[in-house]
Amino acid sequence: MAHDLPKAYDPTAIEDHWAAYWVREKLFAVETPAANPTSGREAASGSSAQPAFVILLPPPNVTGRLHMGHMLNQTEIDILTRWWRMSGRRALWLPGTDHAGIATQMMVERQLAEEGSSRQQLGREKFVERVWEWKRHYGGAILEQMKRLGVSVDWSREYFTMDEPRSLAVREAFVRLYEQGLIYRGAYIVNWCPRCQTAISDLEVVYDEHKGHLWEIRYPVLGDGGTETGEFITVATTRPETMLGDTAVAVHPEDARYPLHGKNLRLPLMNREIPIVVDPWVSPEFGTGAVKVTPAHDPNDFALGERHHLPSINVMDETAHINTAGGAYAGLDRYAARKKIVHDLEAQGLLAGVKDYTYNVGHCDRCKTVVEPRLSTQWFVAVNKKAESRGASLAELAIAAVKPDADGKKAIRFTPEMYEKTYLNWMENIHDWCISRQLWWGHRIPAWHCAACGKITVARENPLACAHCGSEKITQETDVLDTWFSSGLLPVSVFGWPKITPETRADFDAFYPTNLLVTGFDILFFWVARMIMLGCWFAGDVPLADGRPRPLADSVPFREVYIHALVRDANREKMSKTKGNVIDPIEIVKKYGTDAVRFTLASMASPGTDIAFNVARTEGYRAFANKIWNAARFIFMNVDKAAEVGIKVDASALGSMPTVTEDAPLEARWIVAELHATAAKVNESLENYRFDDAANIIYQFFWGSFCDWYLEIVKLRLDFSDSSDKTKTRDALTTLVSVFEAALRLLSPFMPFITEELWYAVYDGSPPAKSIALTKYPTANKNQMDGHVRNQMTYLADLIIETRAYRKDRQVPENELVDLYLVGLGGYGKAGSSFESADNVIVENEVVIKKLAKVATITETLLGDPNYEHLSWRPTRLTDIAISYGKPIDVAAERERLTRDIAKYERGLAAAERQLNNDAFLRKAPPQVVEGLRKQESETRTLLDKARAALAALPQDSKP
RNA sequence: GGGCGGUUAGCUCAGUUGGUUAGAGCGCCUGCCUUACAAGCAGGAGGUCGCAGGUUCGAGCCCUGCACUGCCCA
């Protein structure tokens, strides 16, 4: 074995090496099963008969840098993927990046600005080429960071949302939806970002509370002949500049204050006549009960305008400056216009009042500019429209995929379950999806406008002529598609859809639907919901491998969704660049090691709650890695010592789950039982996405059980002297190494680096597989989870702990031995009690007790033996103990301790008795609960009696 | 305005269908360089589970109300 490990674990010394090795050896590549079914390649692919575990990486933006959210996401996916792979599944994890329309375009535009240029100067074609260039140079840095983290993805299947296969999928999806009548183009109010100069979807608008003003403006009422009557209607608005585009004022039909139906008003500043319309949508309670109507700049007003056939006057350009429709205000920025308009109204005596008013203002998710609702012509997906071919709408299908059917079955299951409700609530109230963006970087919409007939041609192949009139004067639509349109197609497009060649067909059959999606709730609607809509829709057209039509349950893009939380800083604040509290995972990784950071995230990943990332935890898990490292050093040291005297570990015991025979020493039987129990709990936890439980259980096993107890005891069995029993020593060593080896496998999905390194060392650099990641994950055998052995060990450990504590209270120096006396075992050693063979445990493990509790001799006495009455006896839950030590006891301290114990016992006893005296309890509670309480009561009573006696027996002064 | 969470030790968090005396890590206190590990070992202190009611033999867990707090949607 390579046994010259340094004393302290240095993750940086090994992690780069293994990260590169895993990529270089293509360890996690999964071949397309049918393409090469008899491949002998030694990868995780295994045989095609194995069930698959398929998962997509939520594609980070191609401009992205790794942040803690990514790291949490990838840690969770990697743990599950490694776990399933080791559990015998063909585990396929597909990586890739998203072209991220607005974000990437912004990045390159900024670069151009620094050069004193702009995209307009460059022109569309050159600009797009420039972005590709940027992408080749700087894009995908995040994937390199991922490699450093050791994620077990199949790099041979890397995708990019604008590569050729994905572009093909986008075009096919668009054309198909258009043909099905589910994509339309029209003029509607959209959220417009004046900085990005594009429309954005409802989801890309984030709302912030804003302290602004509510201006009340008086609109003069006109009488017959168009003269002002001297009456006014007062309207209120937070955006006075939009009044330039007002085309009506609306009131509720039953509002008695306004018997003015059919009358006109004079729109101030513009001097335009506008009608008063009545509409039940107007709330009479709000403000004055009269609202100005600006159909071109407010979605509600737009709908109202449609109902009343009002004209729409767009008064702002793409940059939110007033356009020529704004008369005297043309050319002013929206806020300058607002100021001037308020000023002018006041000057004309038409400003009725100004109130402070707090309301929500929408900002562009990308650049935080205040969004302007604005009438413009855009492309939409009609998500609620039934397609004849399906008899359902996109949304209906996406609802059916998540809602339990008549048998309570769900095609897609959410964890935590509450997200199912959130999803359904959104999907049931979904609006049409604005998919066009006025950007240059993205999938250009495959539609051509005809200059001759004005109609639109949508086609899979670039057309040469208008499909309607044959004119060749056609130009392609300049808009591109929403980024999420292409990422929403990924579950089908990564497996070759829509191109169904024999090869991609095999991929699709083998890997679609994916098993799981792991992502944050922040993209539940952006991405998860869209994948469900588009996945169900398009996969539904692909028959199953045997030719049968594909049911909904197999059309879904994934069968399960696990939603994780946000990573916040240690004070639960959202990490943000402006706050300066961003924790860079790469920096933390460099400092503490990838394994420690991964373990931190896993151990804190409780479903439903955000993670307050605390480096103190990471420090703790670096210490954990160091602990394992040193356990390995200890083990290897002994393996080497053994080799010198010709003792070798039984190699056949490695690589599976260790077992022990009945005659093995207690600690060996116990640690094997613990290992099996731990494996059982870890597997169960991972099945339920309880990364935190799984991590904590392994931590407790490795540190609390294996190191603290087992290693300390096994030291006594590793006797390499001439007089030793070689067989026993070899068995002890074999159990030691095989349990450690299995524990490494158990830990490996969580801490892949250190486990790889030490696993190689266990096999002296020549392990039976290329990586620990390709070995078998430990599973429990119930026969090896011996509860009796675990009780015996608990007894032994408790006795040692009690003795240590008593030594401490007596202020015995650490390195001095004492004589230990025991009494009262009778109550615990009896058949049927948990500590049935307690006496045997003491006899058989005398040497253990002596070593771990620093005891010279152990004497068992009978209760009340006068020979030992002079000692200071301490009652414990197990047995009374006393130690003989030259120094007097601290009577005051002992009295205080006993008094505290007595109070505690009295409280416990009173509580137990209250219940046991309650007939209803005895009648209704399950027998084992009653029995348990009886036992507890009697034990507590015994302890109480003994503690009282001990207190009474305390001398006025001290005795030994 | 509608909806969904959270409130447990100094801090960050577990606590599965209600069941015996509520756990972990970090921090804190005390003592130890015990031959794998001071990134360690040993021992210890620390909680009326946000508040008030209710259901129940029994409530951290279920119900109602309140307070504080976070998020999503409009």
Side-chain angles (χ1 to χ4, degrees):
Chain A
M1 298 196 186
H3 296 164
D4 49 345
L5 303 181
K7 186 169 168 182
Y9 173 55
D10 177 12
T12 55
I14 67 153
E15 290 189 352
D16 283 330
H17 164 71
W18 288 118
Y21 172 82
W22 294 331
V23 175
R24 192 172 66 239
E25 294 292 318
K26 300 184 169 58
L27 287 187
F28 309 118
V30 179
E31 290 182 7
T32 299
N36 193 357
T38 53
S39 165
R41 188 162 109 186
E42 191 191 343
S45 51
S47 87
S48 55
Q50 287 175 302
F53 174 75
V54 185
I55 190 160
L56 271 187
L57 174 75
N61 287 355
V62 68
T63 57
R65 311 292 299 187
L66 195 82
H67 59 63
M68 269 301 174
H70 294 125
M71 187 154 180
L72 170 68
N73 182 253
Q74 292 170 19
T75 297
E76 291 183 344
I77 298 177
D78 199 40
I79 287 170
L80 291 172
T81 307
R82 284 174 182 270
W83 173 61
W84 279 122
R85 183 183 296 117
M86 292 177 75
S87 301
R89 296 248 207 136
R90 250 176 327 129
L92 171 60
W93 179 9
L94 296 111
T97 46
D98 192 306
H99 67 276
I102 297 181
T104 312
Q105 177 157 334
M106 267 171 72
M107 202 83 116
V108 177
E109 280 190 82
R110 206 175 302 144
Q111 212 179 42
L112 285 174
E114 278 169 21
E115 299 167 11
S117 181
S118 71
R119 76 176 153 113
Q120 286 81 3
Q121 272 183 41
L122 232 57
R124 181 165 191 150
E125 209 169 305
K126 280 194 176 149
F127 177 77
V128 170
E129 184 40 49
R130 174 76 188 247
V131 182
W132 275 107
E133 204 177 294
W134 186 94
K135 188 250 168 193
R136 280 190 293 271
H137 271 252
Y138 306 103
I142 196 166
L143 297 181
E144 292 308 311
Q145 292 179 310
M146 282 175 65
K147 286 178 186 165
R148 178 59 187 74
L149 295 186
V151 292
S152 64
V153 304
D154 181 350
W155 291 107
S156 71
R157 291 175 182 264
E158 185 183 327
Y159 59 81
F160 177 55
T161 51
M162 262 173 74
D163 62 16
E164 200 260 313
R166 265 46 71 176
S167 299
L168 188 72
V170 164
R171 185 173 272 210
E172 175 66 25
F174 186 94
V175 174
R176 222 182 264 190
L177 288 173
Y178 185 80
E179 288 171 350
Q180 289 166 332
L182 298 184
I183 284 184
Y184 64 93
R185 184 172 183 260
Y188 296 92
I189 298 280
V190 293
N191 305 292
W192 185 271
C193 174
R195 201 225 58 92
C196 303
Q197 295 180 37
T198 179
I200 55 179
S201 76
D202 294 346
L203 281 176
E204 288 163 283
V205 180
V206 288
Y207 291 91
D208 255 351
E209 207 166 73
H210 171 77
K211 284 198 175 100
H213 302 284
L214 191 66
W215 285 277
E216 293 171 348
I217 308 170
R218 300 200 289 181
Y219 286 15
V221 177
L222 299 178
D224 298 336
T227 51
E228 292 184 18
T229 62
E231 295 169 282
F232 296 94
I233 285 187
T234 303
V235 297
T237 179
T238 56
R239 297 189 294 153
E241 65 279 11
T242 62
M243 70 172 288
L244 302 174
D246 281 4
T247 54
V249 165
V251 297
H252 192 273
E254 282 150 33
D255 195 333
R257 285 171 296 180
Y258 300 106
L260 300 165
H261 311 163
K263 287 233 164 80
N264 281 353
L265 302 166
R266 180 173 67 80
L267 178 65
L269 308 181
M270 297 304 288
N271 294 322
R272 188 160 68 225
E273 269 193 43
I274 57 172
I276 296 170
V277 296
V278 296
D279 195 287
W281 170 79
V282 180
S283 157
E285 289 81 31
F286 183 78
T288 59
V291 297
K292 58 193 278 306
V293 180
T294 324
H297 291 282
D298 182 282
N300 292 317
D301 293 8
F302 180 78
L304 200 146
E306 294 264 280
R307 287 198 290 276
H308 297 273
H309 309 290
L310 298 170
S312 297
I313 303 173
N314 191 336
V315 298
M316 281 185 223
D317 65 14
E318 294 79 11
T319 60
H321 285 68
I322 305 299
N323 62 20
T324 50
Y329 302 91
L332 289 177
D333 168 76
R334 53 184 162 170
Y335 299 116
R338 178 180 297 177
K339 208 168 167 187
K340 188 153 193 294
I341 284 166
V342 170
H343 178 267
D344 292 351
L345 286 170
E346 192 167 21
Q348 294 179 23
L350 294 174
L351 190 66
V354 188
K355 285 177 185 156
D356 288 340
Y357 189 65
T358 303
Y359 57 104
N360 286 325
V361 178
H363 299 260
C364 173
D365 188 29
R366 202 37 70 185
C367 71
K368 311 303 170 205
T369 305
V370 172
V371 162
E372 200 63 41
R374 182 167 173 272
L375 185 66
S376 72
T377 302
Q378 304 288 345
W379 294 84
F380 297 86
V381 175
V383 291
N384 289 314
K385 188 176 168 189
K386 278 191 202 321
E388 278 177 33
S389 55
R390 272 277 159 60
S393 70
L394 282 155
E396 282 168 345
L397 227 50
I399 289 165
V402 172
K403 236 186 188 159
D405 66 12
D407 302 328
K409 281 200 187 115
K410 300 168 191 173
I412 299 176
R413 194 170 70 97
F414 278 83
T415 305
E417 207 176 354
M418 73 167 176
Y419 286 107
E420 177 187 309
K421 222 190 293 179
T422 310
Y423 168 90
L424 286 173
N425 186 47
W426 186 78
M427 196 56 89
E428 280 160 2
N429 296 292
I430 191 172
H431 296 291
D432 284 358
W433 173 16
C434 175
I435 50 169
S436 47
R437 296 291 181 277
Q438 287 64 52
L439 302 171
W440 288 354
W441 175 244
H443 295 280
R444 196 156 166 185
I445 289 178
W448 283 260
H449 302 281
C450 177
C453 71
K455 288 187 175 160
I456 290 171
T457 303
V458 168
R460 289 174 176 82
E461 303 294 334
N462 291 7
L464 299 170
C466 172
H468 306 281
C469 72
S471 165
E472 288 176 10
K473 285 191 208 158
I474 54 169
T475 46
Q476 190 176 0
E477 168 66 58
T478 52
D479 290 355
V480 301
L481 286 167
D482 181 6
T483 293
W484 299 103
F485 190 88
S486 54
S487 45
L489 288 166
L490 281 173
V492 290
S493 65
V494 290
F495 300 123
W497 185 92
K499 217 176 177 180
I500 305 292
T501 66
E503 189 171 291
T504 56
R505 174 83 233 196
D507 260 357
F508 203 91
D509 288 341
F511 302 128
Y512 193 91
T514 66
N515 294 79
L516 175 66
L517 179 78
V518 177
T519 191
F521 63 80
D522 49 333
I523 52 173
L524 179 61
F525 306 137
F526 276 114
W527 193 46
V528 182
R530 266 103 187 233
M531 281 193 287
I532 295 175
M533 279 197 286
L534 298 175
C536 292
W537 199 259
F538 293 116
D541 288 338
V542 180
L544 292 171
D546 59 12
R548 281 182 300 131
R550 186 177 290 265
L552 183 62
D554 294 318
S555 301
V556 293
F558 28 74
R559 302 194 188 278
E560 301 209 8
V561 180
Y562 175 73
I563 304 275
H564 62 236
L566 241 55
V567 185
R568 296 167 176 276
D569 76 359
N571 302 316
R572 312 210 111 267
E573 302 261 357
K574 220 173 190 163
M575 290 190 197
S576 79
K577 279 181 195 148
T578 46
K579 269 190 237 159
N581 63 344
V582 176
I583 303 171
D584 179 356
I586 294 293
E587 271 175 39
I588 299 274
V589 157
K590 278 183 188 157
K591 204 166 168 190
Y592 300 101
T594 309
D595 286 338
V597 184
R598 285 173 62 117
F599 210 85
T600 307
L601 291 168
S603 70
M604 298 186 83
S606 307
T609 46
D610 286 346
I611 293 177
F613 192 90
N614 197 338
V615 289
R617 288 284 288 258
T618 311
E619 276 177 39
Y621 293 124
R622 177 184 58 177
F624 178 50
N626 189 55
K627 188 79 182 172
I628 295 163
W629 185 261
N630 279 287
R633 289 180 64 225
F634 169 79
I635 292 166
F636 297 152
M637 188 184 85
N638 281 286
V639 168
D640 290 348
K641 273 191 206 164
E644 281 171 25
V645 295
I647 297 173
K648 290 199 82 174
V649 174
D650 177 4
S652 70
L654 301 186
S656 55
M657 278 304 272
T659 54
V660 278
T661 50
E662 278 297 314
D663 58 346
L666 176 61
E667 80 282 354
R669 285 178 287 138
W670 171 73
I671 198 66
V672 167
E674 284 294 311
L675 176 69
H676 282 263
T678 302
K681 280 187 273 185
V682 169
N683 281 304
E684 193 199 334
S685 299
L686 287 178
E687 267 163 39
N688 297 311
Y689 308 111
R690 290 307 303 258
F691 303 96
D692 55 336
D693 284 348
N696 292 333
I697 290 160
I698 295 176
Y699 181 94
Q700 170 54 32
F701 171 78
F702 236 120
W703 199 320
S705 302
F706 187 80
C707 292
D708 284 351
W709 289 100
Y710 174 67
L711 281 189
E712 291 306 320
I713 297 174
V714 88
K715 280 175 183 175
L716 301 166
R717 317 291 190 202
L718 296 172
D719 182 355
F720 303 115
S721 63
D722 292 342
S723 57
S724 69
D725 180 335
K726 294 279 191 299
T727 309
K728 278 189 180 168
T729 308
R730 193 201 60 189
D731 287 350
L733 196 67
T734 296
T735 301
L736 171 63
V737 176
S738 62
V739 168
F740 183 67
E741 190 270 343
L744 287 178
R745 282 184 279 125
L746 196 65
L747 178 65
S748 133
F750 300 84
M751 292 189 152
F753 290 98
I754 190 174
T755 52
E756 186 82 303
E757 177 80 12
L758 294 177
W759 182 77
Y760 262 79
V762 165
Y763 289 99
D764 208 0
S766 312
K770 275 189 170 181
S771 166
I772 191 172
L774 305 182
T775 60
K776 223 177 148 317
Y777 201 70
T779 50
N781 178 345
K782 280 212 170 75
N783 298 332
Q784 293 288 327
M785 288 162 53
D786 188 334
H788 182 59
V789 163
R790 295 168 82 190
N791 281 337
Q792 287 187 321
M793 184 64 196
T794 302
Y795 171 73
L796 179 65
D798 281 353
L799 179 65
I800 291 166
I801 289 167
E802 294 285 8
T803 308
R804 282 169 175 168
Y806 195 26
R807 285 172 53 103
K808 200 85 163 181
D809 286 346
R810 291 283 298 273
Q811 295 177 310
V812 180
E814 292 277 337
N815 45 13
E816 279 186 43
L817 300 182
V818 295
D819 293 323
L820 174 66
Y821 300 87
L822 304 171
V823 76
L825 262 189
Y828 299 91
K830 276 180 190 156
S833 97
S834 337
F835 307 112
E836 197 177 323
S837 43
D839 288 307
N840 287 341
V841 170
I842 291 173
V843 172
E844 285 166 12
N845 294 282
E846 197 179 325
V847 58
V848 173
I849 298 166
K850 284 178 174 171
K851 175 80 189 307
L852 298 193
K854 305 245 170 62
V855 166
T857 64
I858 301 174
T859 311
E860 282 194 63
T861 78
L862 294 173
L863 192 62
D865 185 331
N867 291 326
Y868 303 103
E869 252 186 351
H870 62 288
L871 293 168
S872 295
W873 287 94
R874 165 174 289 194
T876 79
R877 204 162 61 83
L878 307 158
T879 170
D880 294 358
I881 62 173
I883 57 177
S884 152
Y885 177 66
K887 228 172 151 186
I889 66 167
D890 182 340
V891 176
E894 193 67 6
R895 176 172 293 129
E896 191 192 321
R897 206 187 58 80
L898 282 168
T899 309
R900 207 168 47 228
D901 282 353
I902 287 168
K904 189 175 73 187
Y905 296 145
E906 279 172 343
R907 274 199 308 276
L909 197 59
E913 278 172 349
R914 196 165 22 199
Q915 289 225 67
L916 286 169
N917 291 336
N918 186 334
D919 275 349
F921 172 71
L922 298 175
R923 221 169 38 242
K924 293 182 182 177
Q928 72 272 20
V929 172
V930 176
E931 194 43 51
L933 195 63
R934 283 227 167 86
K935 196 170 154 192
Q936 180 208 325
E937 188 228 7
S938 94
E939 287 185 10
T940 307
R941 187 183 300 284
T942 308
L943 280 171
L944 179 59
D945 291 346
K946 286 180 175 178
R948 279 176 176 154
L951 185 62
L954 268 187
Q956 292 310 301
D957 50 8
S958 306
K959 67 177 177 177

